[in-house]
Amino acid sequence: MIGGNESCSAGPIPMSYLTCLTYILGEWTGVEHIEDYLSYAVYLLWVLFPLAVVFLLPGVIVILFYSSILVLHIYKRKNELKEAYSNDFWDGAKQMLATLWDGHGRIWHGYELHGAENIPEGPGLIVFYHGATPADYVYFTARLLIQRKRYCHVVADHFVFRLPGFKILLDVLGVIHGPKEECVSALKKGCLLAIAPGGVREALFSDEMYTIMWGNRKGFAQVAIDAKVPIIPMFTQNVREGIRTLGGIKIFRSLYERIRLPVVPFYGGFPVKLRTFIGEPIPYEPNITAEELTTKTKAALQVLIEKHQKIPGNIFRALMERFQTQKKED
């Protein structure tokens, strides 16, 4: 075997492997001084590599979602004959997915869940701030299922139901479109239900200032009133530092408002510290209006943000918090 410092022969003059490769490429392409172009290409690769990484890392979340879908298909195929004898055909699959996502949350973000005791034993409506992706919510549901054997349904935007291959995942996880009647029905059956009133707009266009972007949305409050259940505010610390968007660029905001699809580029995927905090429930009051309950809920969520999030958010600080045991405030 020839060592890396030895030479290959291209004519009468011995050359190193790199020079030999450059000579062959030059002969093949007919380009003179091709080594100058190669040096420039290597330099560009070196400069642009970190930029490429921050735009590619968010793809890990997409891979995890489709890995979950693959697990469900395999599970379904292996357990079809047991369906008639099982109380819940998908129990085992839900546990497997919870283990998968909780493992990713623990390893990549040192994920922690605080205040789970504030979640009532019966039904309740969890209202949370929407990060650039819903990964923190998935970590929350996984930890809740593992630790307390509680399952939480969630309301998702209509475009999610059009994503290729997602149907089985949405069905198993109990994701719903969000008509008021369907939400009220789920709560009256004793389910936990979660919703981010800011939805896709908050996910794409909020920023490191953690601005709540609910607009005039108050349907969730009417759902809680009709179902006679408490509202539980929830916030995840550093959720906007893990993955960020280019939502500050006006053309992306204009494009979203026109077509209502999340076409804003993501970047990041940084292993920042994530901690989810569950606030104290806002109890059901028979005489409260939807407007008043919306205001109370928004204020409660704002308190969680101010209590647990340093503003403006900072990616480096969020990374360093992986090595700290102290939170901003418990």
Side-chain angles (χ1 to χ4, degrees):
M1 188 173 181
I2 302 175
N5 293 326
E6 297 184 32
S7 59
C8 64
S9 296
I13 304 173
M15 292 182 285
S16 68
Y17 280 129
L18 184 57
T19 306
C20 181
L21 179 60
T22 303
Y23 174 80
I24 294 171
L25 285 174
E27 288 292 312
W28 181 55
T29 60
V31 178
E32 295 184 0
H33 306 295
I34 196 171
E35 63 274 8
D36 295 335
Y37 294 99
L38 289 175
S39 297
Y40 184 62
V42 170
Y43 172 74
L44 280 179
L45 181 64
W46 177 76
V47 170
L48 297 177
F49 180 74
L51 186 63
V53 167
V54 299
F55 279 98
L56 290 175
L57 271 178
V60 173
I61 299 298
V62 178
I63 292 171
L64 276 173
F65 275 118
Y66 277 101
S67 297
S68 300
I69 291 168
L70 179 61
V71 167
L72 291 178
H73 279 293
I74 294 172
Y75 180 89
K76 181 180 180 182
R77 182 64 61 186
K78 289 179 64 66
N79 292 276
E80 280 176 338
L81 295 178
K82 300 178 183 178
E83 183 173 7
Y85 306 99
S86 174
N87 292 328
D88 187 344
F89 176 70
W90 291 110
D91 271 348
K94 291 175 183 177
Q95 290 289 341
M96 284 194 293
L97 293 190
T99 302
L100 171 67
W101 280 93
D102 188 61
H104 183 268
R106 286 176 184 271
I107 294 169
W108 196 246
H109 293 292
Y111 179 76
E112 298 175 11
L113 174 60
H114 299 270
E117 64 277 4
N118 289 325
I119 298 175
E121 292 298 324
L125 182 63
I126 295 174
V127 175
F128 64 98
Y129 172 85
H130 204 313
T133 72
D136 63 305
Y137 170 77
V138 181
Y139 297 146
F140 157 71
T141 56
R143 186 67 59 85
L144 189 68
L145 183 60
I146 291 171
Q147 291 187 347
R148 301 191 59 187
K149 308 304 179 186
R150 292 294 305 276
Y151 183 71
C152 186
H153 297 265
V154 67
V155 179
D157 192 272
H158 291 289
F159 89 90
V160 175
F161 294 85
R162 299 198 294 269
L163 293 174
F166 264 58
K167 185 180 186 304
I168 188 172
L169 182 65
L170 300 177
D171 289 344
V172 172
L173 298 185
V175 181
I176 62 178
H177 286 281
K180 187 179 76 170
E181 296 75 17
E182 190 175 355
C183 294
V184 172
S185 175
L187 289 167
K188 285 185 173 181
K189 290 176 182 177
C191 298
L192 277 176
L193 180 66
I195 186 170
V200 177
R201 186 175 283 105
E202 186 172 83
L204 298 180
F205 305 113
S206 188
D207 54 24
E208 65 273 15
M209 300 305 293
Y210 287 82
T211 305
I212 298 174
M213 302 178 67
W214 290 1
N216 294 319
R217 294 182 177 179
K218 54 182 181 290
F220 73 92
Q222 191 61 55
V223 165
I225 292 170
D226 291 348
K228 301 180 181 180
V229 299
I231 286 180
I232 306 102
M234 183 173 81
F235 170 72
T236 299
Q237 183 185 57
N238 296 324
V239 66
R240 297 212 77 90
E241 317 322 315
I243 294 180
R244 288 189 173 178
T245 73
L246 298 181
I249 300 176
K250 290 184 178 179
I251 189 172
F252 291 127
R253 181 65 180 266
S254 300
L255 187 60
Y256 170 77
E257 298 298 345
R258 181 179 296 273
I259 65 175
R260 295 301 176 92
L261 290 175
V263 292
V264 179
F266 294 79
Y267 70 94
F270 307 113
V272 301
K273 183 68 176 182
L274 294 184
R275 296 184 180 97
T276 293
F277 295 92
I278 311 295
E280 294 184 4
I282 302 170
Y284 164 71
E285 298 177 34
N287 298 320
I288 197 170
T289 66
E291 290 81 3
E292 292 170 338
L293 185 54
T294 298
T295 300
K296 289 184 68 172
T297 305
K298 188 174 183 179
L301 186 57
Q302 188 64 52
V303 167
L304 285 180
I305 293 173
E306 293 174 359
K307 184 177 181 181
H308 300 294
Q309 181 65 53
K310 293 179 180 178
I311 297 177
N314 180 279
I315 294 173
F316 180 74
R317 182 177 63 232
L319 287 168
M320 291 301 98
E321 287 177 2
R322 290 293 302 272
F323 308 102
Q324 300 171 2
T325 55
Q326 280 280 20
K327 302 174 284 297
K328 179 183 174 184
E329 188 178 340
D330 234 346

PDB file of all heavy atoms in Angstrom, residues 180 184 188 221-229 284:
ATOM      1  N   LYS A 180     -64.360  24.004  16.636  1.00  0.00           N
ATOM      2  CA  LYS A 180     -64.712  24.182  18.047  1.00  0.00           C
ATOM      3  C   LYS A 180     -65.462  22.977  18.598  1.00  0.00           C
ATOM      4  O   LYS A 180     -65.176  22.514  19.716  1.00  0.00           O
ATOM      5  CB  LYS A 180     -65.558  25.449  18.212  1.00  0.00           C
ATOM      6  CG  LYS A 180     -65.833  25.801  19.657  1.00  0.00           C
ATOM      7  CD  LYS A 180     -66.658  27.066  19.783  1.00  0.00           C
ATOM      8  CE  LYS A 180     -68.117  26.785  19.450  1.00  0.00           C
ATOM      9  NZ  LYS A 180     -69.001  27.921  19.789  1.00  0.00           N
ATOM     10  N   VAL A 184     -64.350  20.742  21.867  1.00  0.00           N
ATOM     11  CA  VAL A 184     -65.224  20.635  23.039  1.00  0.00           C
ATOM     12  C   VAL A 184     -65.562  19.180  23.311  1.00  0.00           C
ATOM     13  O   VAL A 184     -65.555  18.720  24.464  1.00  0.00           O
ATOM     14  CB  VAL A 184     -66.506  21.469  22.827  1.00  0.00           C
ATOM     15  CG1 VAL A 184     -67.511  21.198  23.955  1.00  0.00           C
ATOM     16  CG2 VAL A 184     -66.178  22.953  22.762  1.00  0.00           C
ATOM     17  N   LYS A 188     -64.820  17.095  26.759  1.00  0.00           N
ATOM     18  CA  LYS A 188     -65.924  16.524  27.521  1.00  0.00           C
ATOM     19  C   LYS A 188     -65.764  15.023  27.726  1.00  0.00           C
ATOM     20  O   LYS A 188     -66.356  14.450  28.642  1.00  0.00           O
ATOM     21  CB  LYS A 188     -67.247  16.822  26.822  1.00  0.00           C
ATOM     22  CG  LYS A 188     -67.701  18.274  26.993  1.00  0.00           C
ATOM     23  CD  LYS A 188     -69.082  18.517  26.405  1.00  0.00           C
ATOM     24  CE  LYS A 188     -69.582  19.918  26.727  1.00  0.00           C
ATOM     25  NZ  LYS A 188     -70.932  20.182  26.184  1.00  0.00           N
ATOM     26  N   ALA A 221     -60.550  30.100  24.023  1.00  0.00           N
ATOM     27  CA  ALA A 221     -61.180  30.471  25.290  1.00  0.00           C
ATOM     28  C   ALA A 221     -62.647  30.045  25.311  1.00  0.00           C
ATOM     29  O   ALA A 221     -63.153  29.545  26.329  1.00  0.00           O
ATOM     30  CB  ALA A 221     -61.058  31.977  25.513  1.00  0.00           C
ATOM     31  N   GLN A 222     -63.322  30.194  24.178  1.00  0.00           N
ATOM     32  CA  GLN A 222     -64.715  29.769  24.096  1.00  0.00           C
ATOM     33  C   GLN A 222     -64.831  28.258  24.237  1.00  0.00           C
ATOM     34  O   GLN A 222     -65.783  27.745  24.831  1.00  0.00           O
ATOM     35  CB  GLN A 222     -65.331  30.233  22.770  1.00  0.00           C
ATOM     36  CG  GLN A 222     -66.832  30.072  22.707  1.00  0.00           C
ATOM     37  CD  GLN A 222     -67.550  30.883  23.776  1.00  0.00           C
ATOM     38  OE1 GLN A 222     -67.358  32.091  23.877  1.00  0.00           O
ATOM     39  NE2 GLN A 222     -68.372  30.218  24.587  1.00  0.00           N
ATOM     40  N   VAL A 223     -63.842  27.533  23.693  1.00  0.00           N
ATOM     41  CA  VAL A 223     -63.816  26.074  23.835  1.00  0.00           C
ATOM     42  C   VAL A 223     -63.732  25.688  25.306  1.00  0.00           C
ATOM     43  O   VAL A 223     -64.472  24.812  25.784  1.00  0.00           O
ATOM     44  CB  VAL A 223     -62.630  25.473  23.044  1.00  0.00           C
ATOM     45  CG1 VAL A 223     -62.379  24.021  23.481  1.00  0.00           C
ATOM     46  CG2 VAL A 223     -62.896  25.524  21.552  1.00  0.00           C
ATOM     47  N   ALA A 224     -62.827  26.352  26.045  1.00  0.00           N
ATOM     48  CA  ALA A 224     -62.681  26.047  27.474  1.00  0.00           C
ATOM     49  C   ALA A 224     -63.953  26.370  28.245  1.00  0.00           C
ATOM     50  O   ALA A 224     -64.347  25.632  29.162  1.00  0.00           O
ATOM     51  CB  ALA A 224     -61.499  26.828  28.050  1.00  0.00           C
ATOM     52  N   ILE A 225     -64.613  27.461  27.878  1.00  0.00           N
ATOM     53  CA  ILE A 225     -65.864  27.842  28.551  1.00  0.00           C
ATOM     54  C   ILE A 225     -66.962  26.833  28.257  1.00  0.00           C
ATOM     55  O   ILE A 225     -67.680  26.379  29.166  1.00  0.00           O
ATOM     56  CB  ILE A 225     -66.282  29.263  28.111  1.00  0.00           C
ATOM     57  CG1 ILE A 225     -65.286  30.300  28.640  1.00  0.00           C
ATOM     58  CG2 ILE A 225     -67.700  29.580  28.606  1.00  0.00           C
ATOM     59  CD1 ILE A 225     -65.483  31.692  28.073  1.00  0.00           C
ATOM     60  N   ASP A 226     -67.101  26.467  26.983  1.00  0.00           N
ATOM     61  CA  ASP A 226     -68.152  25.517  26.602  1.00  0.00           C
ATOM     62  C   ASP A 226     -67.934  24.141  27.223  1.00  0.00           C
ATOM     63  O   ASP A 226     -68.893  23.443  27.572  1.00  0.00           O
ATOM     64  CB  ASP A 226     -68.219  25.395  25.081  1.00  0.00           C
ATOM     65  CG  ASP A 226     -68.734  26.661  24.407  1.00  0.00           C
ATOM     66  OD1 ASP A 226     -69.247  27.541  25.122  1.00  0.00           O
ATOM     67  OD2 ASP A 226     -68.591  26.781  23.171  1.00  0.00           O
ATOM     68  N   ALA A 227     -66.659  23.732  27.335  1.00  0.00           N
ATOM     69  CA  ALA A 227     -66.347  22.414  27.906  1.00  0.00           C
ATOM     70  C   ALA A 227     -66.244  22.453  29.433  1.00  0.00           C
ATOM     71  O   ALA A 227     -66.127  21.404  30.075  1.00  0.00           O
ATOM     72  CB  ALA A 227     -65.046  21.884  27.317  1.00  0.00           C
ATOM     73  N   LYS A 228     -66.232  23.684  29.995  1.00  0.00           N
ATOM     74  CA  LYS A 228     -66.150  23.874  31.450  1.00  0.00           C
ATOM     75  C   LYS A 228     -64.883  23.251  32.034  1.00  0.00           C
ATOM     76  O   LYS A 228     -64.925  22.501  33.009  1.00  0.00           O
ATOM     77  CB  LYS A 228     -67.401  23.305  32.142  1.00  0.00           C
ATOM     78  CG  LYS A 228     -68.698  23.943  31.670  1.00  0.00           C
ATOM     79  CD  LYS A 228     -69.908  23.357  32.377  1.00  0.00           C
ATOM     80  CE  LYS A 228     -71.190  24.007  31.866  1.00  0.00           C
ATOM     81  NZ  LYS A 228     -72.401  23.460  32.534  1.00  0.00           N
ATOM     82  N   VAL A 229     -63.756  23.564  31.407  1.00  0.00           N
ATOM     83  CA  VAL A 229     -62.475  23.019  31.849  1.00  0.00           C
ATOM     84  C   VAL A 229     -61.491  24.161  32.135  1.00  0.00           C
ATOM     85  O   VAL A 229     -61.659  25.265  31.609  1.00  0.00           O
ATOM     86  CB  VAL A 229     -61.861  22.077  30.782  1.00  0.00           C
ATOM     87  CG1 VAL A 229     -62.775  20.895  30.517  1.00  0.00           C
ATOM     88  CG2 VAL A 229     -61.563  22.829  29.484  1.00  0.00           C
ATOM     89  N   TYR A 284     -62.140  27.236  35.550  1.00  0.00           N
ATOM     90  CA  TYR A 284     -63.360  27.588  34.813  1.00  0.00           C
ATOM     91  C   TYR A 284     -64.224  28.509  35.652  1.00  0.00           C
ATOM     92  O   TYR A 284     -64.437  28.285  36.837  1.00  0.00           O
ATOM     93  CB  TYR A 284     -64.137  26.312  34.457  1.00  0.00           C
ATOM     94  CG  TYR A 284     -65.576  26.574  34.053  1.00  0.00           C
ATOM     95  CD1 TYR A 284     -65.865  27.188  32.833  1.00  0.00           C
ATOM     96  CD2 TYR A 284     -66.625  26.217  34.908  1.00  0.00           C
ATOM     97  CE1 TYR A 284     -67.192  27.434  32.469  1.00  0.00           C
ATOM     98  CE2 TYR A 284     -67.942  26.459  34.545  1.00  0.00           C
ATOM     99  CZ  TYR A 284     -68.222  27.073  33.326  1.00  0.00           C
ATOM    100  OH  TYR A 284     -69.509  27.321  32.970  1.00  0.00           O
TER     101      TYR A 284
END
